[in-house]
Amino acid sequence: MATKAESRITPLSIFSVTFVILWVIIASFPFLWTAWGSFKVQGDFFSKADWTNAIFGVRTMVETGGTFTMNGYEGAWIQEEFWRAVLNTGIVVVFTVTISLTFGTLGGYALARSGYKYAFWILMAALVFRAMPHITLVSGYLLPFFEWNIWGILPTTIIVLVAINQPFTLWMLHSFFLNIPKDLDESAMVDGCTRFQAFRHVIIPVMWPGVITTGLFSFLLAYNDFTVTRMLLSQENETMIPKIQSFLGSTQVEGNVMFAVAAVVSATVPLIILIMFFQRQIVSGLTAGAVKG
Amino acid sequence: MKHRSFFWFILPTLSAMILFIALPIVSVAIQSLYIEHEQVLVVTESCGPFGCNETTTVDTEASAALQEEQPLGRFNGLGTYTNRAHLAFAEVGAAWSASESMSDFFSRLLNLPFYWALAFTLTYTFVVTPFVLVLGLAIAVGVNNLPRIFKGPTIFVSLLPMIVTPLVGALILFWMVDGDGVIGATLQNIFNDPSLSLKANTSLVWVMLIVYGIWSSLPFSFIVFYAGLQTVPSDTMEAAQIDGATKWQRMIHVVVPHLMPLVVFISLIQLMDNFRVFEPIISFQAEAHARSLSWIIYNDLIAAGNPLYGSAGATSILTILGVAFLLMPVLIRTWRDFNRKST
């Protein structure tokens, strides 16, 4: 594609390459630094004297006898029972993604196939709901949930996350179903299927690419949520992100900040693996809404 | 699609949204009209050898009973909206008449908690959004010119700041700028000032939060612009080139106009997301210097032992009105488009 004239080195192209390299460093360095530092002791990771200590682990050598230590991870996972929070996050995420995709595919399909005005109004309402700051909704939940005695348990949080997820899921799947030709399910209905049978036998087999992309974003929303899980779960049902926040309060003691660092790294690893496998779907999902308008 | 089958298909998602998004908004609106009960006080007189003493104690039992009976608290009308912690009409009026200049008025206004949070939220929103647009476009153009083998890895790395949990991403940056962290300590060495702390100065904290905001939102606009660049018509580009347009001129006069719809899309999403800025303030432990609207609601709700539902409700309603105000232009535009299409 690029002709010789275009790929000539100009000041502008040098500048743009430098800029990209700079961005790559800014985007990745904090993660590499923290991941490396999580295997050191606090005296190295927060080293006033010399920042190279964090790389070579001078204090770690003195305190533990090796340049790498698992102390932070041990403290977080075993002593502070981070594994319990990981388990809770797993439950919340799996159920939230499954339920919100089920609801979302049904609703998104209906919206894509209905030309009536109320379909448009539902989409508009969803857009407004999408913009609501989550904390304003949470302040509406607390009193009723206390009254009905359903505060603090995982099912409540799951259904709330599903609902918060719906506006986005609907928009995404709606635009995805618009791209599946109408003729497909309509010809099935001409052949005598009901609307639901047409959906079941014709649409479901071809919808998976869109559903997987949407599911990734539902996963991210449930996994990354802090506001809802922090406010709606009791201490023993806590998920990872509120747990990390509670470390901050309790770990001002020497050495324990490293628990939080280790927990942060543990919580980030699944996300990095996710990007590795699904980079293409994430990119296409981000642009889906945009390019189609 | 028939109305009937539409109804059954949409029912689960619609009921989830009505129950857990629409009704909570109503519930918040009702809550905001009530405030907490006053404690039931009992005055007891205890007489001893040195005369009688009146002591006032809180009757916990009666207070609990009252709470049980009316969990919402007592009705207060719009009182919560106008008190000092929210719109503070009385204080604003006093500040207006007492202050000599505009800047004096604003500094008085910023002493009020609601306006202070509003000022931060708006500053954050309207500084982060343009930066994200311009820098995102620059990175997208840069990546687009890279040789193909570098594109994938660059996009992979770029996604990290956005995908990672906001609370966690902010914490990672916070530890680095800590006085003992790598960036914080290096800055202290450069300026030779061991007491230099990014956390102790209001404007530095604001800058830090805004830098975090740009760092975490940049990937989104980069990816969207990058996808948009793939659709720039090559005919137009070639025509411009033949006409003697430089790279820069082609950029300004062909590429940017082509990407205009994406600019609108990104600004819309960014305005919605930045307006609810919350997690970074928790991570940076910045509440002494910067508070957002979401943060003050959160703070009311976690008030130990005695959550201020009324106050949180009033702030929530004001925040929702703010969101609606921001969205208004978009909604009106979509409405017009829809009407044009359907007629």
Side-chain angles (χ1 to χ4, degrees):
Chain A
M1 285 277 269
T3 60
K4 226 174 196 152
E6 269 176 359
S7 52
R8 203 177 56 221
I9 296 172
T10 61
L12 196 65
S13 68
I14 293 174
F15 172 77
S16 99
V17 169
T18 327
F19 189 67
V20 171
I21 293 174
L22 195 69
W23 160 247
V24 167
I25 293 171
I26 293 173
S28 60
F29 175 68
F31 294 100
L32 296 173
W33 178 260
T34 310
W36 182 264
S38 67
F39 294 103
K40 308 290 176 211
V41 295
Q42 189 178 347
D44 277 335
F45 188 56
F46 294 101
S47 174
K48 204 160 195 86
D50 186 358
W51 60 270
T52 54
N53 280 359
I55 296 178
F56 300 115
V58 180
R59 300 281 316 151
T60 317
M61 193 69 193
V62 175
E63 284 176 34
T64 62
T67 44
F68 283 92
T69 170
M70 294 295 283
N71 283 355
Y73 289 90
E74 254 178 61
W77 281 77
I78 300 165
Q79 189 184 323
E80 299 281 339
E81 302 203 313
F82 190 64
W83 59 269
R84 213 183 280 277
V86 173
L87 210 63
N88 285 330
T89 300
I91 298 172
V92 168
V93 164
V94 167
F95 281 98
T96 308
V97 171
T98 325
I99 302 175
S100 64
L101 284 182
T102 316
F103 286 13
T105 33
L106 290 173
Y109 174 71
L111 290 174
R113 289 293 184 265
S114 170
Y116 292 107
K117 223 165 205 177
Y118 52 64
F120 169 79
W121 283 115
I122 292 175
L123 280 172
M124 278 296 104
L127 181 68
V128 175
F129 288 159
R130 156 80 173 72
M132 290 295 140
H134 297 167
I135 191 80
T136 60
L137 302 175
V138 168
S139 63
Y141 299 141
L142 285 176
L143 258 188
F145 285 3
F146 279 130
E147 284 298 299
W148 302 329
N149 223 357
I150 51 170
W151 180 88
I153 52 174
L154 291 177
T156 318
T157 308
I158 290 170
I159 192 71
V160 164
L161 284 175
V162 166
I164 288 185
N165 230 332
Q166 280 311 302
F168 172 78
T169 316
L170 269 185
W171 266 93
M172 192 103 165
L173 287 169
H174 160 252
S175 64
F176 172 74
F177 281 122
L178 279 181
N179 281 352
I180 295 182
K182 253 184 183 161
D183 309 349
L184 263 180
D185 38 330
E186 268 162 17
S187 61
M189 285 169 69
V190 169
D191 291 347
C193 282
T194 62
R195 177 58 83 168
F196 187 77
Q197 280 168 331
F199 176 74
R200 164 84 188 70
H201 296 291
V202 180
I203 298 297
I204 286 186
V206 297
M207 74 180 186
W208 295 111
V211 171
I212 288 172
T213 308
T214 317
L216 282 171
F217 286 90
S218 302
F219 170 88
L220 287 177
L221 184 132
Y223 188 91
N224 287 346
D225 176 83
F226 168 70
T227 320
V228 174
T229 45
R230 165 71 177 81
M231 300 305 293
L232 292 187
L233 284 174
S234 58
Q235 195 114 44
E236 60 268 27
N237 286 332
E238 228 166 29
T239 53
M240 279 197 297
I241 308 303
K243 183 85 175 174
I244 290 173
Q245 193 242 350
S246 71
F247 279 169
L248 298 180
S250 66
T251 51
Q252 291 310 319
V253 202
E254 172 76 18
N256 288 4
V257 174
M258 294 318 287
F259 292 3
V261 177
V264 156
V265 175
S266 316
T268 313
V269 168
L271 293 173
I272 292 178
I273 295 174
L274 186 86
I275 308 181
M276 274 181 193
F277 282 99
F278 294 106
Q279 180 173 336
R280 224 157 47 110
Q281 281 84 349
I282 294 175
V283 170
S284 75
L286 282 178
T287 52
V291 179
K292 282 167 210 144
Chain B
M1 191 181 247
K2 287 199 202 81
H3 295 296
R4 232 181 111 82
S5 43
F6 180 82
F7 172 77
W8 287 113
F9 270 99
I10 202 85
L11 183 67
T13 170
L14 201 60
S15 46
M17 286 201 292
I18 289 176
L19 278 177
F20 292 100
I21 302 182
L23 282 184
I25 295 176
V26 176
S27 140
V28 162
I30 295 171
Q31 265 173 42
S32 67
L33 301 178
Y34 288 83
I35 56 171
E36 292 66 35
H37 290 290
E38 283 166 9
Q39 305 279 25
V40 182
L41 299 178
V42 206
V43 182
T44 44
E45 207 178 28
S46 54
C47 290
F50 307 107
C52 290
N53 260 350
E54 277 195 354
T55 48
T56 314
T57 50
V58 176
D59 186 343
T60 32
E61 223 165 84
S63 297
L66 192 61
Q67 184 70 33
E68 187 77 21
E69 201 181 310
Q70 294 174 293
L72 273 174
R74 60 204 163 80
F75 187 73
N76 190 35
L78 292 177
T80 314
Y81 288 93
T82 53
N83 72 11
R84 190 183 182 278
H86 297 91
L87 289 176
F89 289 138
E91 283 81 0
V92 174
W96 180 252
S97 53
S99 48
E100 291 115 32
S101 64
M102 240 11 214
S103 61
D104 186 25
F105 172 66
F106 279 117
S107 70
R108 279 166 203 257
L109 196 62
L110 290 182
N111 281 330
L112 298 165
F114 178 80
Y115 292 102
W116 174 238
L118 185 67
F120 174 75
T121 312
L122 290 178
T123 313
Y124 181 88
T125 311
F126 288 102
V127 173
V128 169
T129 310
F131 267 105
V132 163
L133 285 171
V134 172
L135 294 178
L137 181 60
I139 297 173
V141 171
V143 173
N144 203 28
N145 290 334
L146 285 181
R148 177 166 294 177
I149 52 161
F150 294 120
K151 283 183 182 172
T154 313
I155 293 175
F156 171 75
V157 171
S158 303
L159 282 173
L160 287 174
M162 175 187 64
I163 296 294
V164 79
T165 317
L167 188 96
V168 163
L171 265 180
I172 288 176
L173 290 197
F174 175 67
W175 285 326
M176 291 177 70
V177 299
D178 185 275
D180 297 340
V182 56
I183 296 176
T186 309
L187 283 180
Q188 288 178 355
N189 280 338
I190 292 173
F191 292 103
N192 210 1
D193 173 10
S195 65
L196 178 75
S197 166
L198 295 177
K199 294 185 281 185
N201 177 310
T202 301
S203 35
L204 283 178
V205 169
W206 282 39
V207 169
M208 219 161 57
L209 287 166
I210 287 171
V211 167
Y212 164 77
I214 297 171
W215 181 74
S216 64
S217 312
L218 206 45
F220 172 67
S221 76
F222 152 58
I223 296 289
V224 174
F225 279 136
Y226 178 73
L229 284 178
Q230 314 305 315
T231 66
V232 172
S234 54
D235 295 355
T236 325
M237 285 297 266
E238 272 164 28
Q241 200 177 355
I242 291 165
D243 289 347
T246 62
K247 264 191 171 172
W248 181 250
Q249 284 171 329
R250 269 178 280 159
M251 181 75 204
I252 295 296
H253 296 292
V254 182
V255 177
V256 171
H258 179 76
L259 295 179
M260 233 27 213
L262 298 186
V263 172
V264 175
F265 169 74
I266 296 172
S267 333
L268 168 70
I269 301 280
Q270 282 298 307
L271 286 181
M272 292 199 285
D273 287 351
N274 292 333
F275 195 73
R276 57 176 166 224
V277 50
F278 170 53
E279 280 105 334
I281 297 180
I282 304 269
S283 285
F284 282 87
Q285 293 161 15
E287 60 268 23
H289 300 287
R291 296 170 174 196
S292 69
L293 293 174
S294 290
W295 190 87
I296 52 177
I297 301 171
Y298 169 78
N299 195 42
D300 279 342
L301 291 175
I302 57 164
N306 188 20
L308 305 166
Y309 294 117
S311 168
T315 317
S316 296
I317 292 295
L318 293 170
T319 310
I320 290 172
L321 290 178
V323 171
F325 186 71
L326 280 181
L327 277 184
M328 208 42 92
V330 185
L331 292 179
I332 292 175
R333 218 188 78 158
T334 326
W335 171 235
R336 281 207 197 117
D337 283 356
F338 178 75
N339 273 343
R340 207 179 309 138
K341 240 183 267 170
S342 57
T343 50

